[in-house]
Amino acid sequence: MPDDVFTAPLKKPEHVGDDWLEPKQTIYDSEDDAIWDDLFKRQMEMLPGRAATAFMEGTEKLDLGRGGVPEFGKLSEELDKLTGWSVVPVPMLIPDHVFFWHLANRRFPAGNFIRTRETFDYIQEPDVFHDVFGHVPMLTDPVYADYMQEYGKAGWKAMRYNRLKALGSLYWYTVEFGLIEEKPGDVRAYGAGILSGPTEVVYSVEAESPNRIMLNVDRVMRTDYVISDLQPTYFVISSFEDLYRQTVERDFDKLYKSLGPGFTYANTAVIDVDYVVNRGSLEYTLRGGRGSGAKPV
């Protein structure tokens, strides 16, 4: 990256190279495997009818419920046959430009650790359950897999324009917290941040509080988001082909030149260009969200 491009000052562990890859995947013990199995069981009880069809089919294709934390080598063999992707272990959150480079080469970096019983319900830094269970099944869908590669390719351009916040918002509202309307009135989740947690998978598709708005890439990249609570707004796609067209075929050079360094719209906003699926009451957010003990209704 040129000197005038800002990159997050993350300290690289001494045992990893410039690609930030671990030499090998962690050898998980019986308690780690039991945590994975319990997390998997809980989520699979919540997801039918709420998770995107592509996600549910992906979990079956990869047999993520075979028992214990999946072995990345075996998982990568199966994924490679389907869409040419692999899963690689990383020690922690990695620098943006390294993350983009891996995605552009169809490698998904997954945290090389799993949460504890004490952090069973919520962990701030993505662990192997969030990364593998939440993200990897969607990579079995060919169109979505191509979208993820193109996102990686787009990352370095965003960094050159110093518009990483805008591109990060697109990732947040699609890859992490995206919804899809599979047929009229049938909205389901495909974002990993939703699918790897028990509360948001119900809240995102059934609650009255959040806005659900059809995806408009220019609008989304101007929209703030919430990191440590349920989202006040979700963006909905009509298909993965539509998601691909809206992003890959967009002239991002022109868009970045028109964007300011900060966000234009609050995460609660509904604006005049929005095609609204559900205009939320925002009750959960207005009552103070998670910190206030408000019910996610």
Side-chain angles (χ1 to χ4, degrees):
M1 288 287 103
D3 292 337
D4 61 346
V5 173
F6 173 79
T7 57
L10 295 176
K11 182 175 176 57
K12 181 168 65 69
E14 293 183 359
H15 70 282
V16 300
D18 290 340
D19 59 9
W20 282 67
L21 295 186
E22 293 273 26
K24 60 181 179 180
Q25 185 184 5
T26 294
I27 298 175
Y28 296 99
D29 61 27
S30 58
E31 174 60 11
D32 295 331
D33 286 334
I35 289 172
W36 171 280
D37 291 342
D38 290 345
L39 287 165
F40 182 88
K41 180 177 184 294
R42 181 176 70 173
Q43 288 309 107
M44 293 305 292
E45 290 174 351
M46 306 292 295
L47 293 180
R50 298 180 176 119
T53 300
F55 178 87
M56 298 301 289
E57 291 177 347
T59 60
E60 292 183 10
K61 291 174 183 177
L62 299 174
D63 193 18
L64 293 184
R66 70 186 73 179
V69 180
E71 197 273 309
F72 287 6
K74 177 65 173 175
L75 192 60
S76 294
E77 288 179 13
E78 297 165 343
L79 195 56
D80 180 62
K81 293 175 183 176
L82 294 168
T83 59
W85 275 77
S86 63
V87 182
V88 292
V90 293
M92 53 188 280
L93 285 173
I94 63 178
D96 296 314
H97 65 289
V98 181
F99 179 67
F100 294 143
W101 178 68
H102 284 302
L103 295 187
N105 287 280
R106 297 177 91 86
R107 293 186 292 265
F108 192 83
N112 204 16
F113 62 96
I114 193 165
R115 68 194 69 183
T116 64
R117 291 289 176 185
E118 290 70 30
T119 57
F120 190 83
D121 291 327
Y122 175 76
I123 183 170
Q124 187 167 359
E125 188 173 1
D127 68 340
V128 69
F129 185 77
H130 169 83
D131 284 339
V132 172
F133 178 85
H135 285 283
V136 173
M138 286 303 309
L139 293 174
T140 64
D141 181 272
V143 178
Y144 184 86
D146 288 346
Y147 167 72
M148 287 293 286
Q149 181 179 30
E150 293 298 331
Y151 185 92
K153 292 178 180 179
W156 284 43
K157 179 181 289 186
M159 295 185 75
R160 287 195 295 271
Y161 280 98
N162 281 319
R163 292 295 179 264
L164 200 55
K165 281 177 69 70
L167 190 68
S169 190
L170 178 63
Y171 189 90
W172 193 262
Y173 282 120
T174 60
V175 177
E176 290 290 355
F177 292 94
L179 302 179
I180 181 171
E181 189 172 38
E182 296 197 335
K183 56 186 178 181
D186 185 12
V187 174
R188 302 190 182 199
Y190 70 90
I194 300 173
L195 296 169
S196 58
T199 302
E200 197 145 12
V201 71
V202 178
Y203 175 84
S204 65
V205 299
E206 296 178 9
E208 290 299 319
S209 288
N211 300 313
R212 300 181 189 91
I213 299 170
M214 296 304 293
L215 180 72
N216 176 312
V217 169
D218 290 33
R219 191 266 207 249
V220 162
M221 294 179 75
R222 291 176 167 87
T223 304
D224 199 0
Y225 51 88
V226 176
I227 294 177
S228 58
D229 207 338
L230 305 177
Q231 302 302 306
T233 298
Y234 299 91
F235 289 92
V236 186
I237 60 173
S238 58
S239 67
F240 296 117
E241 289 80 5
D242 176 57
L243 173 63
Y244 188 88
R245 284 192 299 270
Q246 284 201 54
T247 51
V248 178
E249 296 178 8
R250 179 67 170 90
D251 182 355
F252 276 76
D253 289 276
K254 183 177 180 180
L255 176 58
Y256 288 144
K257 290 175 183 177
S258 70
L259 290 175
F263 291 122
T264 304
Y265 306 118
N267 50 44
T268 55
V270 176
I271 62 175
D272 56 357
V273 299
D274 288 339
Y275 184 94
V276 181
V277 178
N278 176 74
R279 181 154 191 159
S281 66
L282 297 179
E283 178 181 341
Y284 173 77
T285 301
L286 294 173
R287 287 184 179 275
R290 179 177 288 136
S292 71
K295 293 183 178 180
V297 294

